Amino acid sequence: MHVSTRIVMSNQVNASRAARSRYPAYQAGAGWNALLPARVPRTQPPIARSFDVIVIGAGFTGLAAARRVAELRPEASVLVIDATTAGNGSSGRNSGFLINLPHNTGMGGHGSPVEVARKQIRLYDIGLKWLHELVTTHGIDCGWNPVGKYHAAATPDGEQRLRDTLAQYREWGVSFRELSRDALQSEIGTDYYGYGYHSDNNVFVQPAALVRGLADSLPTNVRLWENEPVVSLEGNGPFKVTTATAELSAGQVIVANNGFARKLGLARDRVFTIYTYAAMTPALASDELAKLGPAQEWGVIPANRLGTTLRKTLGGRFVVRSAYSYEKERPMADITAMLTDAYRRRYPQMASHKFEHVWGGVTALTRNGALYFGEVRKGLYTSLGCNGAGVLKGSMFGKLLGEMACGHQSPELADALGFERPSWLPPEPIRRVAIVSAIQYQKHRAGLER
């Protein structure tokens, strides 16, 4: 082998390794994506090497931003690049709750906590309406179901947390229905929880189907390039975007790959990533489904953040989600055992507690729950740190980011820019010690909520 050939091959190997470090290499495919027909990814490289706008990340945030730029600037050339296939990345791995209430009322900003919460609610309501219009207009078959959601507590500490949340709901003017143990047992088929409530502020979706549908209905001036990791981002406009196989340039760049923006030099001291895990049963027989309550579809949010989320789906399956790990995926055998135990403890009456799909998903958090949102420097825009609420929040803030890139002004954008900024994170290894310790503490505190 010639020396020049060895150098080329070595460079290709190094580029491939660098590319893989820019996105999660999951052990298992997303269960939601596995239920859909096989997707043929759009892997054909674009002929052009220069674009008006390049969007990095084809999740809910990136797709919303690209769509809004294309709508406001129909003459602009827009390229969306994603390291994975639409539906199998992080955006298709969540539990499919679209909750249009603040997940973190400590986002802060200008005004009283109630004023800030109401601003968030207004943004989420606008985002939900926009998403629904897209689903309806483009005929996206994602199981859109606005049936609300339950919150349930298995411990006294969890019950107090829920009651504290309801005190906030009263201030915000949000309606709810409180439920005793017997009422919960009647509605969701288990007496595991001693207290809970139901609110209408939620829509269920099949997340992989929704993100696929949004990707496949982009305006004609948007090009989607899948399975092509971005390796580096340089410059100050025009920007140089280097992927695993190409060098591109753009006048503007929108970075929407959540925690993996750190690999491109952004938000390194503000955002960190965690993995969370879910499992899905096979389609259950009608008599088994009846043991999970009479409603065709429902979902439970736990009283503790490290508790267990449950969802009975329209397709007759049951989904269990729980646990966090810092920056690295845990072995699937351990996760399967943990999720099986959570399922069995809540529903010992089921004939089987076996799962058909078990998977992990990565999300990005900030220390204070605030979103890393806005223009980093001229022509470079980001929305990072969804804090576990990426479908609706990502869609709305991605929409606003696209509008910001087009110079569009609105009261909604002003509100978004007025929220609290993410607080500083210490460097490694202090960061790891602090976050892992916090996870262990919350696991202990969660107790039976897990």
Side-chain angles (χ1 to χ4, degrees), residues 4 6 18 29 57 95 116 119 124 134 160 246 288 305 313 340 376 391 407 418:
S4 60
R6 288 199 299 268
S95 298
V116 171
K119 288 179 180 179
Y124 299 148
L134 293 175
Q160 186 58 53
E288 288 297 289
R305 189 168 193 171
T313 75
T340 301
V376 177
V391 181

Side-chain angles (χ1 to χ4, degrees), residues 26-37 87-95 205-209 212 276-283 311 313 317-320 329 332 355-361:
Y26 291 117
Q27 300 175 69
W32 297 109
N33 198 50
L35 301 182
L36 301 173
N88 201 42
S90 300
S91 58
R93 291 171 176 267
N94 62 78
S95 298
V205 295
Q206 210 281 33
R212 279 201 200 184
T276 188
Y277 305 92
M280 178 186 291
T281 69
R311 181 175 168 188
T313 75
R317 296 169 182 263
F318 196 59
V319 177
V320 182
E329 207 171 10
M332 280 295 104
F355 295 116
E356 184 174 352
H357 303 285
V358 181
W359 69 94

Side-chain angles (χ1 to χ4, degrees), residues 52-93:
D52 293 311
V53 182
I54 289 179
V55 179
I56 301 172
F60 293 107
T61 303
L63 293 173
R67 182 183 299 275
R68 197 63 181 129
V69 169
E71 289 173 347
L72 293 173
R73 296 172 57 191
E75 79 291 346
S77 57
V78 182
L79 175 67
V80 181
I81 311 174
D82 198 274
T84 57
T85 303
N88 201 42
S90 300
S91 58
R93 291 171 176 267

Side-chain angles (χ1 to χ4, degrees), residues 390-407:
V391 181
L392 186 51
K393 183 186 290 185
S395 296
M396 184 58 192
F397 281 87
K399 177 179 183 290
L400 292 174
L401 204 63
E403 293 174 1
M404 180 187 291
C406 294

Side-chain angles (χ1 to χ4, degrees), residues 42 58 136 341 415:
R42 302 181 187 183
T136 302
D341 175 67
D415 285 344

